[in-house]
Amino acid sequence: MTNNRVFNFSAGPSTLPLSVLEEVRDQLVDYDGSGMSLLEMSHRGAHYDAVHTETMALAREVFALPEDFDVVFIQGGATLQFSMVPANLLAGAASVAVVRTGSWSDKALADATEYGSAYVAWDGKPVRYARAPAADEIEVRDGTRYVHVCSNETIEGLRFPEFPDIGVPLVADMSSDIATRELPWELFDLVYGGTQKNLGPAGMALVFLRHRILTSLRQDQGAYLRYGIHVDKDSLYNTPPVFSVWVTGKVLRWIRDSGGLKAMTAAAERRAGTVYEAIDGSDGFYRCPVEPSSRSLTNVVFRLPHEDLEARFLSEAADRDFVGLKGHRSVGGCRASLYNAMPQDGADALAQFMRDFRSRAR
Ligand SMILES: *Cc1c(COP(=O)(O)O)cnc(C)c1O
């Protein structure tokens, strides 16, 4: 580790593999002996074209994307997809079912209602977002085009341990656990995620969509908002977010060379397990509000007995160079985000600190 590197538990933008950052540093000013930076080059030139094509190919490889899916790189983060998905998919009288598991699915719901009929097919609010539903709890009405799920709720710290097979295509916001798990592609029409949590810098979303759906999408909107344009133009309809594409490609290569999604899952389970163990072994000093079976592997949320102690915990953690442990402002408490680039050492050090803090606090 470079000696002044902290453990960055931020929810996003978040920690990146050090080897990737170093590579970017080394290549930033003079790209491949060209006398200029990749950031200064035309996105229609040979250098950038090679980067773009390779990042696309790596995305296909790492995600084991079936042939009949397309990859799109697009700006606007996951938030643009909250609008773009219903704007494209909700044709005619079709409606969208939203599984409300927390703050992000709630935002997807709000935007979907702007484009057509959207309803809540399972509501986690009454159970304070303490768990995800089983497939048979999700009530889908006739005429539903797709079911929107948020695979991992970043703020409340819960996830779908398995994706529900309910006979209607799923659309998934995977922003905070993308590239931490293999996907049952047969269940999905579309999957999207912002890059800034597991895949690279902010500024881009990755969208995977089933090629067949392109023929039935709505066309009544500006060019940039149509998926078909991005697919036809290989995500080069307009100037792409070149820095994000470049670095995301490097992170995808790092994932592949580290053993791929299987290895990412194993590492995520181990990291999260280490922190949940510190919570569950604390005699109730630390409390996780999420039921064990739905607990997130990437965002571990927990509370201490009272807010003064939480403030002290966060301040002492900051003194030890543990960055970004404060819970989201809407829910308070603490949250340790443990994305792919977080080393197991970070989880070990945090768990040790949690045990030490508890013994000092009593
Ligand atoms: C961070 C996040 C978003 C928003 O992503 P942006 O890229 O900031 O638009 C949406 N959904 C989930 C699950 C997230 O974690």
Side-chain angles (χ1 to χ4, degrees):
M1 219 193 241
T2 301
N3 48 19
N4 59 352
R5 221 94 169 120
V6 301
F7 286 123
N8 179 1
F9 296 98
S10 300
S14 43
T15 194
L16 289 166
L18 178 61
S19 62
V20 167
L21 294 173
E22 288 174 340
E23 221 179 278
V24 171
R25 177 197 61 202
D26 294 345
Q27 298 175 349
L28 187 69
V29 175
D30 182 3
Y31 189 78
D32 199 19
S34 65
M36 56 200 287
S37 173
L38 188 76
L39 307 186
E40 302 170 298
M41 290 180 189
S42 167
H43 60 290
R44 310 278 176 202
H47 282 294
Y48 180 72
D49 189 59
V51 167
H52 193 88
T53 307
E54 193 186 1
T55 305
M56 286 252 166
L58 281 162
R60 285 196 163 273
E61 183 184 349
V62 166
F63 287 92
L65 197 68
E67 276 300 309
D68 61 329
F69 273 76
D70 294 308
V71 184
V72 167
F73 302 150
I74 188 167
Q75 304 184 44
T79 300
L80 178 62
Q81 298 309 305
F82 292 163
S83 291
M84 203 164 156
V85 171
N88 280 269
L89 269 64
L90 273 190
S95 56
V96 43
V98 176
V99 180
R100 178 149 65 183
T101 43
S103 305
W104 288 115
S105 50
D106 207 29
K107 286 216 160 101
L109 171 68
D111 279 354
T113 60
E114 301 286 348
Y115 294 92
S117 143
Y119 65 93
V120 177
W122 183 81
D123 196 355
K125 205 170 183 184
V127 295
R128 299 168 140 261
Y129 302 132
R131 67 179 183 88
D136 62 8
E137 293 178 287
I138 299 170
E139 293 181 22
V140 176
R141 303 175 192 159
D142 287 348
T144 299
R145 170 64 186 83
Y146 64 94
V147 179
H148 185 280
V149 295
C150 178
S151 57
N152 182 79
E153 289 280 2
T154 322
I155 293 175
E156 288 81 5
L158 69 148
R159 68 166 194 148
F160 279 89
E162 274 163 26
F163 288 98
D165 182 354
I166 37 197
V168 175
L170 300 180
V171 168
D173 173 6
M174 291 201 71
S175 295
S176 51
D177 68 348
I178 195 162
T180 67
R181 62 201 297 188
E182 293 177 300
L183 291 176
W185 286 108
E186 69 279 4
L187 299 182
F188 299 100
D189 265 2
L190 192 148
V191 167
Y192 62 91
T195 43
Q196 73 274 24
K197 285 156 192 164
N198 262 315
L199 287 177
M204 185 165 90
L206 218 57
V207 180
F208 299 114
L209 72 163
R210 193 179 287 282
H211 191 71
R212 166 161 58 71
I213 72 170
L214 287 170
T215 55
S216 55
L217 297 182
R218 278 170 63 162
Q219 303 295 327
D220 54 343
Q221 52 220 322
Y224 194 80
L225 296 175
R226 286 182 240 146
Y227 285 120
I229 289 257
H230 296 283
V231 171
D232 281 352
K233 305 288 182 191
D234 280 328
S235 300
L236 284 162
Y237 171 69
N238 71 335
T239 316
V242 295
F243 187 68
S244 297
V245 173
W246 184 34
V247 182
T248 296
K250 290 182 186 300
V251 175
L252 286 168
R253 195 180 311 124
W254 174 84
I255 291 172
R256 183 193 67 189
D257 296 348
S258 309
L261 294 189
K262 269 196 178 46
M264 294 299 119
T265 305
E269 284 172 348
R270 182 159 169 238
R271 270 189 311 262
T274 299
V275 180
Y276 285 122
E277 222 172 271
I279 294 170
D280 293 337
S282 72
D283 274 334
F285 182 80
Y286 299 105
R287 279 172 300 112
C288 172
V290 181
E291 291 181 13
S293 62
S294 294
R295 287 177 176 178
S296 171
L297 298 183
T298 44
N299 308 100
V300 177
V301 299
F302 55 96
R303 306 290 319 224
L304 275 70
H306 52 80
E307 288 188 1
D308 292 349
L309 264 181
E310 280 171 354
R312 223 179 92 202
F313 176 86
L314 291 169
S315 134
E316 288 189 24
D319 290 344
R320 276 156 217 246
D321 283 345
F322 297 148
V323 171
L325 284 171
K326 200 169 166 40
H328 190 269
R329 59 191 181 280
S330 63
V331 294
C334 305
R335 169 176 58 176
S337 294
L338 307 166
Y339 297 124
N340 282 340
M342 172 60 66
Q344 176 64 31
D345 282 355
D348 290 341
L350 175 61
Q352 188 56 50
F353 169 68
M354 288 170 72
R355 285 188 285 269
D356 293 348
F357 184 84
R358 175 188 160 223
S359 58
R360 275 183 287 112
R362 39 182 50 213

